[in-house]
Structure formats: structure tokens, C-alpha cells
Amino acid sequence: MKVKIHFSAATLAPLLIRSTLIAQMQHQTLDLALPTDNNALFSGGGPAFYQYIERNYKGVKSTPWEGGQYGFVRDPVETSAGMFYSRFHEGIDIRPLQRDARDEPLDEVRAIADGKVVHTNLIPGYSNYGKYIVIEHRWDGSSYYSLYGHLSSIAVQPGDTVKRGQRIAVMGYTGADSIRRAPISIWN
């Protein structure tokens, strides 16, 4: 069974609370790490955790952090019943904590759990994720995959074994959908 999980710099808690994973977690505890040093997610800091998306809606420019979350959080549409969002965001966008003089992110990206690198994409134009890494993890006899996208550099290659918390990349702004953000996507 495949379960889709995305971290776009990362949707850990909401994505792991799925009935298919809950049944498996009864047998084995998942010891996951956040993919960056930004841990504001655990202190109620949505604006401090999620990277904003610049938005021009009805002539008003804004930078709402909510667009960095997982789910229907993009492309607002106003209706008589109120505002709704029409585009699904498959990951989470984590705000970088460190930037260089050109405002480029410097944060390290780390593996969320022990695993094996099964794919790297070094050419940004080949996907909406830009440069990315896919790691296979084994939990309770099943394979799960984490995808870390929009990277400026990659420090691993296919076949490498990685440990939870190991540096695998550096955040970046690569890919067709990177709007001045640094997402890490994790999927299964």
C-alpha cells in the first residue's frame, strides 16, 4: 500500500495521522525528525514555520504563510458562500532560518528517518520540485518514501544509506513552482 506524504519545507503531523499509518504505528513507533532546524511547528508558530507565498489577490499584494501548508491552500476564489482555495498543495514549505546576503536560504536539509537514497534529480527543469531527493524508509515491513524538493545542492546519491538527521542537502528555490520558497516534500 502506498500513502502519499509531502514535506515542502514539511507536512509531518497532518500526513502521518492517517488510518493506514495509525494501524502500522501500533506495531512500531516512528522516530521522525524535522528535515530542518526550524521547529516552530511545535510551538504553534505557523507564520514562523511555513514559508509565505507572495500573492496578488484582487490588486492586494500579500504574503500569507497559510499557502505553505498541505492541502487546498492555494489560489483563493471568492464566492457568495465565502472564500475557498482551489489549488491543492502537495507538500509543505518550511521557512528557512538562515539566509545569505542575496536572501538565498542556507539551511541544511536532513533525512527525517533512516533510509536509502533511491533517486536524486539534479536538473531543476525536469520537475516541479526542481532539484530533489527521494529516500526509501522501512517501517513495520513496509516501504515509505520521503521527497525533499527545491534544493540548491544535494549531498547524497542513489544507493547511499542515510541516518535520521543526516545532512542530505541545502534548501533552494528550484523548480517551476518555487515562488521564493524553500519546500521539502515527503511522499509515499
Side-chain angles (χ1 to χ4, degrees):
M1 176 185 322
K2 299 261 180 186
V3 178
K4 196 167 187 179
I5 299 181
H6 284 274
F7 275 104
S8 289
T11 310
L12 183 59
L15 292 178
L16 292 179
I17 302 175
R18 298 174 68 106
S19 60
T20 56
L21 291 179
I22 290 171
Q24 290 180 357
M25 287 189 283
Q26 292 172 358
H27 298 110
Q28 180 181 354
T29 301
L30 298 179
D31 184 22
L32 302 178
L34 286 174
T36 73
D37 286 334
N38 187 338
N39 65 2
L41 179 68
F42 298 126
S43 60
F49 182 75
Y50 296 104
Q51 178 62 26
Y52 68 83
I53 303 298
E54 289 187 4
R55 186 180 285 159
N56 185 338
Y57 183 69
K58 294 190 171 190
V60 177
K61 185 177 179 182
S62 65
T63 54
W65 64 269
E66 294 92 348
Q69 296 180 100
Y70 176 81
F72 283 98
V73 296
R74 302 265 175 98
D75 295 352
V77 176
E78 194 170 343
T79 69
S80 60
M83 184 79 68
F84 77 94
Y85 295 88
S86 61
R87 192 173 92 183
F88 191 81
H89 184 224
E90 296 177 342
I92 64 171
D93 299 338
I94 298 174
R95 170 172 269 178
L97 297 176
Q98 304 170 50
R99 294 180 182 271
D100 66 15
R102 296 174 309 168
D103 202 32
E104 297 295 320
L106 297 172
D107 297 38
E108 287 186 356
V109 176
R110 292 183 287 279
I112 63 160
D114 293 355
K116 180 180 177 182
V117 177
V118 294
H119 183 75
T120 59
N121 177 49
L122 304 175
I123 303 173
Y126 282 6
S127 82
N128 286 341
Y129 292 113
K131 292 180 184 179
Y132 68 89
I133 300 168
V134 178
I135 298 176
E136 178 183 30
H137 310 279
R138 298 287 299 173
W139 292 318
D140 201 26
S142 297
S143 291
Y144 295 87
Y145 300 87
S146 56
L147 185 151
Y148 308 78
H150 304 288
L151 306 170
S152 67
S153 65
I154 294 176
V156 294
Q157 58 188 354
D160 288 353
T161 299
V162 296
K163 292 290 191 188
R164 176 187 181 272
Q166 178 181 329
R167 178 185 180 272
I168 57 171
V170 175
M171 283 185 175
Y173 294 124
T174 64
D177 193 31
S178 70
I179 307 170
R180 298 305 298 169
R181 61 190 171 122
I184 299 168
S185 295
I186 295 187
W187 58 273
N188 266 328

Short mmCIF file of all heavy atoms in Angstrom, two decimals, residues 47-72:
data_model
loop_
_atom_site.label_atom_id
_atom_site.label_comp_id
_atom_site.label_asym_id
_atom_site.label_seq_id
_atom_site.Cartn_x
_atom_site.Cartn_y
_atom_site.Cartn_z
N PRO A 47 3.19 31.04 11.24
CA PRO A 47 3.91 32.03 10.43
C PRO A 47 5.43 31.90 10.52
O PRO A 47 6.13 32.27 9.59
CB PRO A 47 3.44 33.37 11.02
CG PRO A 47 2.13 33.07 11.65
CD PRO A 47 2.24 31.66 12.17
N ALA A 48 5.94 31.38 11.61
CA ALA A 48 7.39 31.21 11.76
C ALA A 48 7.87 29.91 11.14
O ALA A 48 9.06 29.77 10.85
CB ALA A 48 7.77 31.25 13.24
N PHE A 49 6.97 28.95 10.91
CA PHE A 49 7.37 27.66 10.35
C PHE A 49 7.18 27.59 8.84
O PHE A 49 8.06 27.18 8.11
CB PHE A 49 6.59 26.53 11.01
CG PHE A 49 6.98 25.17 10.51
CD1 PHE A 49 8.16 24.58 10.91
CD2 PHE A 49 6.17 24.48 9.62
CE1 PHE A 49 8.55 23.33 10.44
CE2 PHE A 49 6.53 23.23 9.15
CZ PHE A 49 7.72 22.65 9.56
N TYR A 50 6.00 27.98 8.36
CA TYR A 50 5.70 27.86 6.93
C TYR A 50 6.21 29.07 6.16
O TYR A 50 6.04 30.21 6.57
CB TYR A 50 4.19 27.74 6.70
CG TYR A 50 3.60 26.49 7.29
CD1 TYR A 50 2.86 26.54 8.46
CD2 TYR A 50 3.78 25.26 6.69
CE1 TYR A 50 2.31 25.39 9.01
CE2 TYR A 50 3.25 24.10 7.23
CZ TYR A 50 2.51 24.18 8.39
OH TYR A 50 1.98 23.04 8.93
N GLN A 51 6.81 28.79 5.01
CA GLN A 51 7.27 29.86 4.13
C GLN A 51 6.07 30.51 3.48
O GLN A 51 5.15 29.83 3.05
CB GLN A 51 8.21 29.30 3.06
CG GLN A 51 8.72 30.30 2.06
CD GLN A 51 9.54 31.41 2.68
OE1 GLN A 51 10.15 31.24 3.72
NE2 GLN A 51 9.55 32.55 2.04
N TYR A 52 6.07 31.81 3.38
CA TYR A 52 4.96 32.53 2.75
C TYR A 52 4.99 32.38 1.24
O TYR A 52 6.01 32.04 0.65
CB TYR A 52 4.98 34.01 3.12
CG TYR A 52 6.15 34.77 2.53
CD1 TYR A 52 6.11 35.26 1.23
CD2 TYR A 52 7.30 34.99 3.28
CE1 TYR A 52 7.17 35.94 0.69
CE2 TYR A 52 8.37 35.68 2.75
CZ TYR A 52 8.30 36.15 1.45
OH TYR A 52 9.37 36.81 0.91
N ILE A 53 3.86 32.62 0.64
CA ILE A 53 3.72 32.65 -0.81
C ILE A 53 3.27 34.06 -1.16
O ILE A 53 2.25 34.53 -0.67
CB ILE A 53 2.65 31.65 -1.30
CG1 ILE A 53 2.97 30.23 -0.84
CG2 ILE A 53 2.48 31.72 -2.81
CD1 ILE A 53 4.25 29.66 -1.36
N GLU A 54 4.03 34.76 -1.99
CA GLU A 54 3.59 36.09 -2.41
C GLU A 54 2.35 35.93 -3.27
O GLU A 54 2.30 35.10 -4.16
CB GLU A 54 4.69 36.81 -3.18
CG GLU A 54 5.83 37.23 -2.30
CD GLU A 54 6.84 38.09 -3.04
OE1 GLU A 54 6.63 38.41 -4.23
OE2 GLU A 54 7.85 38.41 -2.41
N ARG A 55 1.35 36.73 -2.96
CA ARG A 55 0.07 36.59 -3.63
C ARG A 55 -0.47 37.98 -3.96
O ARG A 55 -0.41 38.88 -3.14
CB ARG A 55 -0.89 35.87 -2.68
CG ARG A 55 -2.21 35.53 -3.27
CD ARG A 55 -3.07 34.81 -2.25
NE ARG A 55 -2.61 33.43 -2.09
CZ ARG A 55 -2.87 32.69 -1.02
NH1 ARG A 55 -3.56 33.17 -0.02
NH2 ARG A 55 -2.43 31.47 -0.96
N ASN A 56 -1.01 38.12 -5.17
CA ASN A 56 -1.68 39.35 -5.57
C ASN A 56 -3.13 38.97 -5.84
O ASN A 56 -3.45 38.42 -6.89
CB ASN A 56 -1.03 39.96 -6.81
CG ASN A 56 -1.63 41.31 -7.15
OD1 ASN A 56 -2.76 41.63 -6.76
ND2 ASN A 56 -0.88 42.10 -7.89
N TYR A 57 -3.99 39.23 -4.87
CA TYR A 57 -5.39 38.86 -4.99
C TYR A 57 -6.24 40.12 -5.02
O TYR A 57 -6.23 40.91 -4.08
CB TYR A 57 -5.81 37.96 -3.83
CG TYR A 57 -7.24 37.49 -3.94
CD1 TYR A 57 -7.62 36.59 -4.92
CD2 TYR A 57 -8.21 37.97 -3.07
CE1 TYR A 57 -8.92 36.15 -5.03
CE2 TYR A 57 -9.53 37.54 -3.17
CZ TYR A 57 -9.88 36.64 -4.16
OH TYR A 57 -11.17 36.23 -4.27
N LYS A 58 -6.92 40.30 -6.14
CA LYS A 58 -7.79 41.47 -6.33
C LYS A 58 -7.03 42.77 -6.10
O LYS A 58 -7.51 43.70 -5.46
CB LYS A 58 -9.02 41.40 -5.44
CG LYS A 58 -9.94 40.25 -5.80
CD LYS A 58 -11.25 40.36 -5.06
CE LYS A 58 -12.21 39.34 -5.62
NZ LYS A 58 -13.55 39.52 -5.13
N GLY A 59 -5.78 42.80 -6.61
CA GLY A 59 -4.98 44.01 -6.54
C GLY A 59 -4.28 44.25 -5.21
O GLY A 59 -3.59 45.24 -5.05
N VAL A 60 -4.45 43.34 -4.27
CA VAL A 60 -3.79 43.49 -2.97
C VAL A 60 -2.68 42.45 -2.87
O VAL A 60 -2.93 41.25 -2.96
CB VAL A 60 -4.81 43.29 -1.81
CG1 VAL A 60 -4.10 43.38 -0.47
CG2 VAL A 60 -5.92 44.32 -1.91
N LYS A 61 -1.45 42.93 -2.68
CA LYS A 61 -0.32 42.03 -2.55
C LYS A 61 -0.20 41.60 -1.09
O LYS A 61 -0.26 42.42 -0.18
CB LYS A 61 0.97 42.72 -2.99
CG LYS A 61 2.16 41.80 -2.99
CD LYS A 61 3.40 42.51 -3.50
CE LYS A 61 4.57 41.56 -3.46
NZ LYS A 61 5.79 42.22 -3.91
N SER A 62 -0.05 40.30 -0.89
CA SER A 62 0.11 39.79 0.46
C SER A 62 1.11 38.65 0.46
O SER A 62 1.48 38.14 -0.59
CB SER A 62 -1.23 39.29 1.02
OG SER A 62 -1.69 38.18 0.28
N THR A 63 1.54 38.25 1.64
CA THR A 63 2.47 37.13 1.78
C THR A 63 1.93 36.19 2.86
O THR A 63 2.48 36.10 3.94
CB THR A 63 3.88 37.62 2.15
OG1 THR A 63 3.79 38.44 3.32
CG2 THR A 63 4.53 38.39 1.03
N PRO A 64 0.84 35.48 2.56
CA PRO A 64 0.22 34.61 3.56
C PRO A 64 1.01 33.33 3.77
O PRO A 64 1.34 32.62 2.83
CB PRO A 64 -1.15 34.32 2.96
CG PRO A 64 -0.93 34.39 1.49
CD PRO A 64 0.12 35.46 1.29
N TRP A 65 1.31 33.04 5.01
CA TRP A 65 2.03 31.81 5.34
C TRP A 65 1.17 30.58 5.15
O TRP A 65 1.70 29.49 4.95
CB TRP A 65 2.56 31.88 6.77
CG TRP A 65 1.47 31.95 7.82
CD1 TRP A 65 0.93 33.09 8.33
CD2 TRP A 65 0.81 30.87 8.44
NE1 TRP A 65 -0.05 32.78 9.25
CE2 TRP A 65 -0.15 31.42 9.34
CE3 TRP A 65 0.90 29.49 8.34
CZ2 TRP A 65 -0.98 30.63 10.11
CZ3 TRP A 65 0.07 28.70 9.12
CH2 TRP A 65 -0.86 29.28 10.00
N GLU A 66 -0.15 30.72 5.18
CA GLU A 66 -1.04 29.56 5.07
C GLU A 66 -0.84 28.80 3.77
O GLU A 66 -1.08 27.61 3.69
CB GLU A 66 -2.51 29.97 5.19
CG GLU A 66 -2.90 30.52 6.54
CD GLU A 66 -2.76 32.04 6.65
OE1 GLU A 66 -2.14 32.67 5.75
OE2 GLU A 66 -3.26 32.59 7.62
N GLY A 67 -0.39 29.49 2.72
CA GLY A 67 -0.16 28.85 1.43
C GLY A 67 0.97 27.85 1.46
O GLY A 67 1.13 27.07 0.53
N GLY A 68 1.77 27.85 2.52
CA GLY A 68 2.86 26.89 2.66
C GLY A 68 2.44 25.58 3.29
O GLY A 68 3.23 24.66 3.40
N GLN A 69 1.17 25.49 3.70
CA GLN A 69 0.68 24.28 4.33
C GLN A 69 0.27 23.24 3.28
O GLN A 69 0.22 23.53 2.10
CB GLN A 69 -0.55 24.60 5.20
CG GLN A 69 -0.23 25.52 6.36
CD GLN A 69 -1.47 25.80 7.18
OE1 GLN A 69 -1.66 25.20 8.21
NE2 GLN A 69 -2.30 26.69 6.69
N TYR A 70 -0.07 22.06 3.75
CA TYR A 70 -0.51 20.96 2.90
C TYR A 70 -2.02 21.05 2.67
O TYR A 70 -2.76 21.41 3.58
CB TYR A 70 -0.19 19.64 3.61
CG TYR A 70 -0.66 18.41 2.89
CD1 TYR A 70 0.06 17.87 1.83
CD2 TYR A 70 -1.83 17.78 3.27
CE1 TYR A 70 -0.37 16.74 1.17
CE2 TYR A 70 -2.27 16.63 2.61
CZ TYR A 70 -1.54 16.12 1.58
OH TYR A 70 -1.96 15.00 0.93
N GLY A 71 -2.47 20.72 1.47
CA GLY A 71 -3.90 20.66 1.18
C GLY A 71 -4.36 21.76 0.25
O GLY A 71 -3.56 22.35 -0.48
N PHE A 72 -5.64 22.04 0.26
CA PHE A 72 -6.21 23.10 -0.58
C PHE A 72 -5.94 24.44 0.09
O PHE A 72 -6.75 24.94 0.87
CB PHE A 72 -7.71 22.88 -0.79
CG PHE A 72 -8.01 21.81 -1.79
CD1 PHE A 72 -8.31 20.53 -1.38
CD2 PHE A 72 -7.96 22.08 -3.16
CE1 PHE A 72 -8.56 19.53 -2.29
CE2 PHE A 72 -8.21 21.08 -4.09
CZ PHE A 72 -8.51 19.80 -3.65
#
